[in-house]
Amino acid sequence: AAAEEDDDDDIDLFGSDDEEEDQEAAKVREERLRQYAEKKSKKPGLIAKSSILLDVKPWDDETDMAKMEECVRSIHMDGLVWGASKLVPVGYGIKKLQIQCVVEDDKVGTDILEEEITKFEDYVQSVDIAAFNKI
């Protein structure tokens, strides 16, 4: 019975005795991983964007809203695209400018955007973010 047990130890069901094949398989695997990493590095990454709806409020009912919108749209930054706008009545004849824009998150921040808009002190009293959505 002891001789039979020794014979069983000599049989390798998984073929792990073939060290040359293991090394060759490892080389093939490393080569494929290197090719995959190289291919993946060439792909452009996903650009995170956000859609922002801004409420731009004037000083009073005598503020030239067309000029205010022109000033806001004159702001140009890499990663900023202006969209549709409309005038929304607030009260007492005062209207606010509601304007849509799409920004690339890495290039344009909301703080910078608000700061740039409020530089037009003759027209803009304040800026609020009415809606902020990731795209």
Side-chain angles (χ1 to χ4, degrees), residues 26-106:
K27 286 180 185 176
V28 170
R29 184 173 48 251
E30 286 175 23
E31 178 65 22
R32 287 185 182 160
L33 285 171
R34 187 188 60 75
Q35 288 173 351
Y36 174 75
E38 188 176 299
K39 183 179 177 184
K40 192 167 183 163
S41 69
K42 291 180 183 176
K43 263 189 178 178
L46 186 66
I47 299 172
K49 292 184 179 182
S50 299
S51 173
I52 304 173
L53 183 64
L54 297 168
D55 283 343
V56 184
K57 297 175 186 153
W59 286 106
D60 55 27
D61 61 338
E62 295 176 10
T63 302
D64 185 359
M65 297 302 286
K67 183 66 178 166
M68 184 171 81
E69 182 178 353
E70 183 183 318
C71 290
V72 170
R73 287 185 183 272
S74 71
I75 298 170
H76 295 284
M77 295 181 195
D78 187 32
L80 170 67
V81 179
W82 292 108
S85 65
K86 65 180 179 179
L87 296 177
V88 179
V90 178
Y92 301 105
I94 299 173
K95 295 180 180 180
K96 66 181 176 184
L97 173 68
Q98 210 170 53
I99 189 163
Q100 183 83 29
C101 67
V102 176
V103 298
E104 290 182 28
D105 295 346
D106 293 339

Side-chain angles (χ1 to χ4, degrees), residues 13-31:
L13 298 175
F14 299 105
S16 61
D17 285 342
D18 302 327
E19 290 181 19
E20 291 177 17
E21 287 182 24
D22 288 343
Q23 289 175 354
E24 191 174 310
K27 286 180 185 176
V28 170
R29 184 173 48 251
E30 286 175 23
E31 178 65 22

Side-chain angles (χ1 to χ4, degrees), residues 1-21:
E4 288 178 22
E5 287 179 24
D6 290 340
D7 289 340
D8 289 341
D9 291 339
D10 293 338
I11 299 173
D12 185 10
L13 298 175
F14 299 105
S16 61
D17 285 342
D18 302 327
E19 290 181 19
E20 291 177 17
E21 287 182 24

